[in-house]
Amino acid sequence: MARKSAPLLPRTARLLTDLGERLKLARLRRRLTAKMVAERAGMSVMTLRSLESGGAGVTMGAYLSVMQVLGLERDLNKVGEADEMGRRLQDAQLSRAHSPKAKKPRRERSITAAKLSKPSGCQPSSVIRGSDYSGIDLDDFPLNPDAFSALFTKNKKPEPST
């Protein structure tokens, strides 16, 4: 069973058909047979025929391979080169970024997080205990250290009370 390709809008399908026709004309201008181009591109003659008729199921790589055989691969650089819509969208985003509107206040990093760097004798997988906080003012830390270490230990789930 053949793979299905994504449906294309009629205008887009026409662009693909036009590309296939242009590639066929380029092949004929060079007086190359379909069999010669297909062999050089590493595909079957049937795939080349589908490509030249604008088949949507033909891979982009197959189109590029035929373009390479015909010496047209550099034309691919022209795709998206004059992206008018993209440039307008980018300009609109830039103008919004510079518009005078109220900025959200930045969240400040807690000083406590900097104080709680790993103690010197601590293994990466060890459980944090209250004794590891020596020299730290626990009033600055929003959690109870025993409750905090409970987050990192595996305990049985509490049984539901009836």
PDB file of all heavy atoms in Angstrom, residues 38 43-53 58:
ATOM      1  N   ALA A  38      17.321   9.495 -14.097  1.00  0.00           N
ATOM      2  CA  ALA A  38      16.892   8.649 -12.983  1.00  0.00           C
ATOM      3  C   ALA A  38      18.070   7.852 -12.435  1.00  0.00           C
ATOM      4  O   ALA A  38      18.237   7.748 -11.207  1.00  0.00           O
ATOM      5  CB  ALA A  38      15.780   7.707 -13.432  1.00  0.00           C
ATOM      6  N   MET A  43      17.232   6.973  -8.581  1.00  0.00           N
ATOM      7  CA  MET A  43      15.803   6.689  -8.404  1.00  0.00           C
ATOM      8  C   MET A  43      15.297   5.933  -9.615  1.00  0.00           C
ATOM      9  O   MET A  43      15.989   5.817 -10.622  1.00  0.00           O
ATOM     10  CB  MET A  43      15.017   7.992  -8.218  1.00  0.00           C
ATOM     11  CG  MET A  43      15.037   8.918  -9.400  1.00  0.00           C
ATOM     12  SD  MET A  43      14.156  10.465  -9.172  1.00  0.00           S
ATOM     13  CE  MET A  43      15.119  11.251  -7.926  1.00  0.00           C
ATOM     14  N   SER A  44      14.091   5.440  -9.503  1.00  0.00           N
ATOM     15  CA  SER A  44      13.493   4.739 -10.641  1.00  0.00           C
ATOM     16  C   SER A  44      12.938   5.750 -11.635  1.00  0.00           C
ATOM     17  O   SER A  44      12.698   6.917 -11.309  1.00  0.00           O
ATOM     18  CB  SER A  44      12.377   3.810 -10.162  1.00  0.00           C
ATOM     19  OG  SER A  44      11.281   4.576  -9.695  1.00  0.00           O
ATOM     20  N   VAL A  45      12.734   5.271 -12.849  1.00  0.00           N
ATOM     21  CA  VAL A  45      12.153   6.131 -13.884  1.00  0.00           C
ATOM     22  C   VAL A  45      10.733   6.526 -13.490  1.00  0.00           C
ATOM     23  O   VAL A  45      10.301   7.659 -13.754  1.00  0.00           O
ATOM     24  CB  VAL A  45      12.174   5.402 -15.254  1.00  0.00           C
ATOM     25  CG1 VAL A  45      11.491   6.237 -16.329  1.00  0.00           C
ATOM     26  CG2 VAL A  45      13.602   5.097 -15.670  1.00  0.00           C
ATOM     27  N   MET A  46      10.007   5.624 -12.809  1.00  0.00           N
ATOM     28  CA  MET A  46       8.649   5.942 -12.367  1.00  0.00           C
ATOM     29  C   MET A  46       8.651   7.096 -11.357  1.00  0.00           C
ATOM     30  O   MET A  46       7.776   7.962 -11.401  1.00  0.00           O
ATOM     31  CB  MET A  46       7.983   4.707 -11.748  1.00  0.00           C
ATOM     32  CG  MET A  46       7.643   3.622 -12.763  1.00  0.00           C
ATOM     33  SD  MET A  46       6.518   4.197 -14.039  1.00  0.00           S
ATOM     34  CE  MET A  46       5.059   4.470 -13.089  1.00  0.00           C
ATOM     35  N   THR A  47       9.654   7.100 -10.448  1.00  0.00           N
ATOM     36  CA  THR A  47       9.747   8.199  -9.475  1.00  0.00           C
ATOM     37  C   THR A  47      10.045   9.508 -10.199  1.00  0.00           C
ATOM     38  O   THR A  47       9.466  10.551  -9.877  1.00  0.00           O
ATOM     39  CB  THR A  47      10.830   7.900  -8.427  1.00  0.00           C
ATOM     40  OG1 THR A  47      10.517   6.672  -7.772  1.00  0.00           O
ATOM     41  CG2 THR A  47      10.933   9.011  -7.404  1.00  0.00           C
ATOM     42  N   LEU A  48      10.935   9.453 -11.200  1.00  0.00           N
ATOM     43  CA  LEU A  48      11.240  10.658 -11.973  1.00  0.00           C
ATOM     44  C   LEU A  48       9.998  11.153 -12.700  1.00  0.00           C
ATOM     45  O   LEU A  48       9.737  12.356 -12.735  1.00  0.00           O
ATOM     46  CB  LEU A  48      12.374  10.395 -12.966  1.00  0.00           C
ATOM     47  CG  LEU A  48      12.761  11.589 -13.836  1.00  0.00           C
ATOM     48  CD1 LEU A  48      13.306  12.731 -12.974  1.00  0.00           C
ATOM     49  CD2 LEU A  48      13.766  11.182 -14.890  1.00  0.00           C
ATOM     50  N   ARG A  49       9.220  10.258 -13.255  1.00  0.00           N
ATOM     51  CA  ARG A  49       7.979  10.659 -13.943  1.00  0.00           C
ATOM     52  C   ARG A  49       7.012  11.323 -12.955  1.00  0.00           C
ATOM     53  O   ARG A  49       6.387  12.334 -13.277  1.00  0.00           O
ATOM     54  CB  ARG A  49       7.300   9.452 -14.589  1.00  0.00           C
ATOM     55  CG  ARG A  49       8.077   8.807 -15.679  1.00  0.00           C
ATOM     56  CD  ARG A  49       7.876   9.517 -16.999  1.00  0.00           C
ATOM     57  NE  ARG A  49       8.610   8.790 -18.036  1.00  0.00           N
ATOM     58  CZ  ARG A  49       9.381   9.375 -18.922  1.00  0.00           C
ATOM     59  NH1 ARG A  49       9.501  10.683 -18.934  1.00  0.00           N
ATOM     60  NH2 ARG A  49      10.017   8.664 -19.819  1.00  0.00           N
ATOM     61  N   SER A  50       6.904  10.749 -11.776  1.00  0.00           N
ATOM     62  CA  SER A  50       6.034  11.334 -10.757  1.00  0.00           C
ATOM     63  C   SER A  50       6.546  12.717 -10.346  1.00  0.00           C
ATOM     64  O   SER A  50       5.763  13.655 -10.183  1.00  0.00           O
ATOM     65  CB  SER A  50       5.970  10.409  -9.541  1.00  0.00           C
ATOM     66  OG  SER A  50       5.161  10.952  -8.548  1.00  0.00           O
ATOM     67  N   LEU A  51       7.851  12.842 -10.226  1.00  0.00           N
ATOM     68  CA  LEU A  51       8.461  14.121  -9.864  1.00  0.00           C
ATOM     69  C   LEU A  51       8.189  15.160 -10.950  1.00  0.00           C
ATOM     70  O   LEU A  51       7.805  16.297 -10.657  1.00  0.00           O
ATOM     71  CB  LEU A  51       9.970  13.896  -9.683  1.00  0.00           C
ATOM     72  CG  LEU A  51      10.840  15.060  -9.288  1.00  0.00           C
ATOM     73  CD1 LEU A  51      11.965  14.561  -8.394  1.00  0.00           C
ATOM     74  CD2 LEU A  51      11.441  15.737 -10.497  1.00  0.00           C
ATOM     75  N   GLU A  52       8.371  14.761 -12.217  1.00  0.00           N
ATOM     76  CA  GLU A  52       8.168  15.703 -13.317  1.00  0.00           C
ATOM     77  C   GLU A  52       6.704  16.080 -13.519  1.00  0.00           C
ATOM     78  O   GLU A  52       6.401  17.095 -14.135  1.00  0.00           O
ATOM     79  CB  GLU A  52       8.730  15.117 -14.621  1.00  0.00           C
ATOM     80  CG  GLU A  52      10.243  15.079 -14.626  1.00  0.00           C
ATOM     81  CD  GLU A  52      10.837  14.512 -15.904  1.00  0.00           C
ATOM     82  OE1 GLU A  52      10.106  13.859 -16.687  1.00  0.00           O
ATOM     83  OE2 GLU A  52      12.047  14.724 -16.115  1.00  0.00           O
ATOM     84  N   SER A  53       5.800  15.288 -12.959  1.00  0.00           N
ATOM     85  CA  SER A  53       4.381  15.651 -13.039  1.00  0.00           C
ATOM     86  C   SER A  53       3.927  16.404 -11.786  1.00  0.00           C
ATOM     87  O   SER A  53       2.755  16.735 -11.648  1.00  0.00           O
ATOM     88  CB  SER A  53       3.515  14.405 -13.255  1.00  0.00           C
ATOM     89  OG  SER A  53       3.603  13.561 -12.131  1.00  0.00           O
ATOM     90  N   VAL A  58       6.543  12.635  -3.710  1.00  0.00           N
ATOM     91  CA  VAL A  58       7.976  12.530  -3.972  1.00  0.00           C
ATOM     92  C   VAL A  58       8.716  13.362  -2.931  1.00  0.00           C
ATOM     93  O   VAL A  58       8.312  14.487  -2.627  1.00  0.00           O
ATOM     94  CB  VAL A  58       8.305  13.012  -5.404  1.00  0.00           C
ATOM     95  CG1 VAL A  58       9.784  12.902  -5.691  1.00  0.00           C
ATOM     96  CG2 VAL A  58       7.504  12.233  -6.424  1.00  0.00           C
TER      97      VAL A  58
END
